[in-house]
Amino acid sequence: MELLAESLSILARWDVVLALLVGSVGGVLIGAIPGVGPAVAIAILLPATFSMDPIVGLTVLLGIYGSSMYGGAIPAILINTPGTAVNALTTYDGYPMTARGEPRRALSLAYSASFFGGVFSVICLILFAPVLARIAPLFGSREIFLAALLGIVLVVVAHRGQTLIAGALAGLGIFIQTIGLEPVKYSQRYTFEQPFLSGGIDLIVVVLGLFALSQAFILLTSVDETVRTTRLRGGLFQGLRELARHPRVAGVSASFGVVMGMIPGVGEFTAQFMSYTYAQRSSKRPEDFGHGSSEGLIAAETANNAVPAAAMVPLLALGIPGEALTAMMLSVFYVHNVVPGPGLFQNDMDFIVALYLALLILNVLVLAFLLIATRPLVQVVKIPNRFLGVCILTLSFVGVYSLRNSATDCLIAAGFGIFGYVLKRLSLPIVPIILGMVLGGIMEVKLRAGMARVREPFDFIDRPVAFILFCLILLVLGLHARRVWSEARDLKGAEEQLRHRPGRFGGLMARRMGALEKARLKTVRARHARRAK
């Protein structure tokens, strides 16, 4: 009770309350505007949060992160355009409901499912906190190095169909992190005697360039479309009653979100598709999925809103971000000399509990705001793309310049913005670069500290946790190699059968066999294309 009282006293501060309101309302607005998304908003806001107290800055960023998914459901349901990338699955069943005249019901279901997923994950984290506090001290330098290495491996293999390019981009991120002063002997690395490279390339400059500036370039070069919104009728509370009729789908989907959120590099997309697939297979009406199924909408929205709180687990317990948004939040800790990891759970448990309670309150505030303000909020989707692009461009350069009052940083950010624009146009991933920069720095420091106690190679994994992590890395690599080999064999077999199909019988039978083999080859290629996405 004493711990809870201390945590509540932190949340009762006026600046924390203001951060809760700004984060919840701002996140919904940003999520409702297609083309912006939480990554862009957090990248722009990062420089401003450095002057805030850690709990205030993190509350704002977490509010943007979590509540943007609530807002992203609005355009996904009303105009068939997801506000954020993770709301893409919401369009499958949300928009068909709107098309048949049930937009209020769809929005109400999405809000209720999102609220359930968010609250469920926070409660799970509060219950797991004592367990994490006991496990975290078992992680020393070697264990944290192996955990960071496992994070990079998971991020790379998670990009199915783009594994090699994801690995190369993660390597590029690790290389960028090495530029500047070396952390032990302070010797120059890859600076080419250029003064502006001596201090290294700032993570925030890269983040703003790759996420915010590249998105601004895309918005400025895209064409504005006329958006027609649907008139809303009916009540917004019916979704809570309908959600209560599907407790199994909601519970399983939220559990998928919590588990997938805690695994680095997996995140919302995997959680959503696993939940959606489970809901469809276990449903009494699987034919309704994709045509306005309430179970499909519940599965998608519950899973993606259960992820943000769970994604904080590896960040808080080990200091290892699982994806780009938590990597940005890690910089807030570093600026204030607060080191996430085992020590945080031992020494600042009131801070951890306050953060969890802030997430709980954020979900309540967001639901209340949406129930009141959905009608005027719908108009946000009509903001022109080019106006948004100019706003993002201006705010990004202001943010970069305010870091060190350096015009050189603005040029570096612009360079990364162009690079990010090219990557996005080619549909290549950006996240491995950021995680490579963050995890590469952690790996270097921990490897040097760990090697001081190692005399033989096997000494590095002679402790239980280190050995388990090492086995997990081998297991992930082995499973990935097996999957790649299986898919390549499947595709090659289908192509071989098509190439050598028997033709001596001629006539109807040969044409029928050829058609079947072509259909099989088309199915295999379509499956590979879907996995690549």
Side-chain angles (χ1 to χ4, degrees):
M1 289 301 293
E2 185 180 350
L3 179 65
L4 185 63
E6 290 177 3
S7 305
L8 288 173
S9 67
I10 295 174
L11 292 178
R13 286 166 34 188
W14 70 268
D15 50 355
V16 179
V17 173
L18 186 62
L20 285 167
L21 291 171
V22 170
S24 55
V25 175
V28 171
L29 289 172
I30 288 163
I33 303 172
V36 181
V40 175
I42 289 176
I44 292 172
L45 284 172
L46 264 183
T49 57
F50 289 167
S51 60
M52 302 175 186
D53 196 73
I55 186 70
V56 179
L58 284 170
T59 302
V60 173
L61 299 183
L62 273 174
I64 299 288
Y65 182 16
S67 56
S68 64
M69 295 176 193
Y70 283 85
I74 295 173
I77 289 170
L78 297 183
I79 60 172
N80 204 23
T81 303
T84 67
V86 296
N87 294 109
L89 203 56
T90 307
T91 60
Y92 283 25
D93 294 292
Y95 186 68
M97 282 188 183
T98 301
R100 67 183 185 221
E102 300 175 324
R104 278 270 185 180
R105 180 187 168 216
L107 285 173
S108 177
L109 260 179
Y111 296 163
S112 305
S114 300
F115 178 74
F116 177 79
V119 171
F120 182 90
S121 63
V122 174
I123 291 173
C124 286
L125 292 178
I126 291 174
L127 295 176
F128 290 160
V131 180
L132 291 171
R134 291 194 191 97
I135 294 175
L138 299 177
F139 281 74
S141 300
R142 285 172 274 178
E143 287 80 7
I144 292 180
F145 167 79
L146 289 168
L149 181 61
L150 176 62
I152 284 193
V153 170
L154 285 169
V155 168
V156 171
V157 301
H159 290 85
R160 301 182 70 171
Q162 295 180 315
T163 308
L164 290 178
I165 190 67
L169 291 172
L172 175 64
I174 294 172
F175 168 72
I176 294 171
Q177 181 274 327
T178 61
I179 295 173
L181 289 176
E182 178 263 336
V184 176
K185 297 181 179 178
Y186 298 106
S187 56
Q188 300 278 341
R189 291 191 303 198
Y190 308 113
T191 57
F192 306 103
E193 299 182 354
Q194 298 297 319
F196 72 93
L197 290 176
S198 298
I201 296 179
D202 196 284
L203 173 68
I204 307 306
V205 174
V206 180
V207 165
L208 278 163
L210 287 177
F211 285 93
L213 289 177
S214 64
Q215 189 63 27
F217 295 151
I218 286 177
L219 289 171
L220 288 171
T221 54
S222 61
V223 178
D224 290 327
E225 296 179 1
T226 304
V227 178
R228 294 182 179 177
T229 53
T230 306
R231 195 172 177 183
L232 299 178
R233 295 175 182 170
L236 279 172
F237 289 95
Q238 57 181 322
L240 288 170
R241 293 191 295 272
E242 195 163 352
L243 180 72
R245 291 202 291 270
H246 302 287
R248 179 180 47 79
V249 174
V252 172
S253 301
S255 302
F256 275 131
V258 171
V259 174
M260 295 297 113
M262 288 192 285
I263 302 174
V266 178
E268 295 93 350
F269 293 103
T270 308
Q272 278 186 84
F273 281 99
M274 289 179 72
S275 305
Y276 195 83
T277 304
Y278 166 78
Q280 187 173 21
R281 287 181 178 174
S282 60
S283 174
K284 294 178 181 177
R285 299 177 61 87
E287 68 277 6
D288 288 348
F289 281 68
H291 303 284
S293 166
S294 57
E295 291 175 280
L297 189 56
I298 290 170
E301 283 297 309
T302 305
N304 66 27
N305 277 274
V307 169
M312 295 298 289
V313 171
L315 179 71
L316 295 173
L318 303 175
I320 296 173
E323 34 75 53
L325 295 176
T326 47
M328 296 181 203
M329 292 178 199
L330 185 61
S331 61
V332 179
F333 284 99
Y334 285 160
V335 165
H336 294 281
N337 290 323
V338 178
V339 181
L344 195 64
F345 275 82
Q346 289 176 306
N347 306 321
D348 297 300
M349 199 59 190
D350 55 338
F351 176 83
I352 301 287
V353 175
L355 209 57
Y356 288 160
L357 291 175
L359 281 168
L360 196 63
I361 296 169
L362 274 167
N363 280 284
V364 177
L365 288 174
V366 171
L367 184 66
F369 174 68
L370 284 170
L371 291 176
I372 297 169
T374 291
R375 194 183 298 274
L377 204 59
V378 172
Q379 306 304 319
V380 173
V381 302
K382 296 181 178 178
I383 297 176
N385 286 342
R386 291 175 184 173
F387 176 75
L388 288 173
V390 171
C391 292
I392 293 172
L393 201 67
T394 307
L395 292 172
S396 301
F397 279 123
V398 169
V400 172
Y401 188 77
S402 66
L403 284 174
R404 295 186 286 196
N405 295 334
S406 168
T408 307
D409 282 347
C410 294
L411 292 175
I412 295 173
F416 277 103
I418 294 170
F419 183 53
Y421 174 80
V422 173
L423 291 178
K424 285 182 178 177
R425 285 298 185 198
L426 296 174
S427 300
L428 298 177
I430 290 175
V431 174
I433 301 175
I434 302 300
L435 290 179
M437 285 187 71
V438 175
L439 295 179
I442 294 171
M443 286 167 62
E444 181 181 4
V445 172
K446 297 302 177 184
L447 180 63
R448 289 190 171 199
M451 289 302 289
R453 302 179 182 85
V454 173
R455 295 182 178 179
E456 297 179 0
F458 284 106
D459 289 348
F460 204 83
I461 53 172
D462 62 351
R463 296 200 294 194
V465 176
F467 182 73
I468 291 171
L469 289 169
F470 180 71
C471 291
L472 281 175
I473 293 170
L474 293 180
L475 180 65
V476 170
L477 290 174
L479 289 175
H480 179 70
R482 181 186 173 193
R483 190 183 65 200
V484 170
W485 180 77
S486 173
E487 289 177 353
R489 185 186 59 179
D490 196 10
L491 187 59
K492 186 178 179 182
E495 288 175 340
E496 283 293 325
Q497 286 188 15
L498 181 61
R499 190 180 301 123
H500 299 103
R501 69 175 186 270
R504 62 179 181 275
F505 295 107
L508 182 63
M509 180 63 75
R511 288 197 296 275
R512 180 60 181 159
M513 288 178 67
L516 288 173
E517 286 164 0
K518 282 183 180 177
R520 185 188 168 211
L521 181 61
K522 188 177 177 182
T523 304
V524 171
R525 282 178 172 159
R527 191 168 68 239
H528 280 250
R530 284 199 301 274
R531 287 174 178 174
K533 292 177 182 177

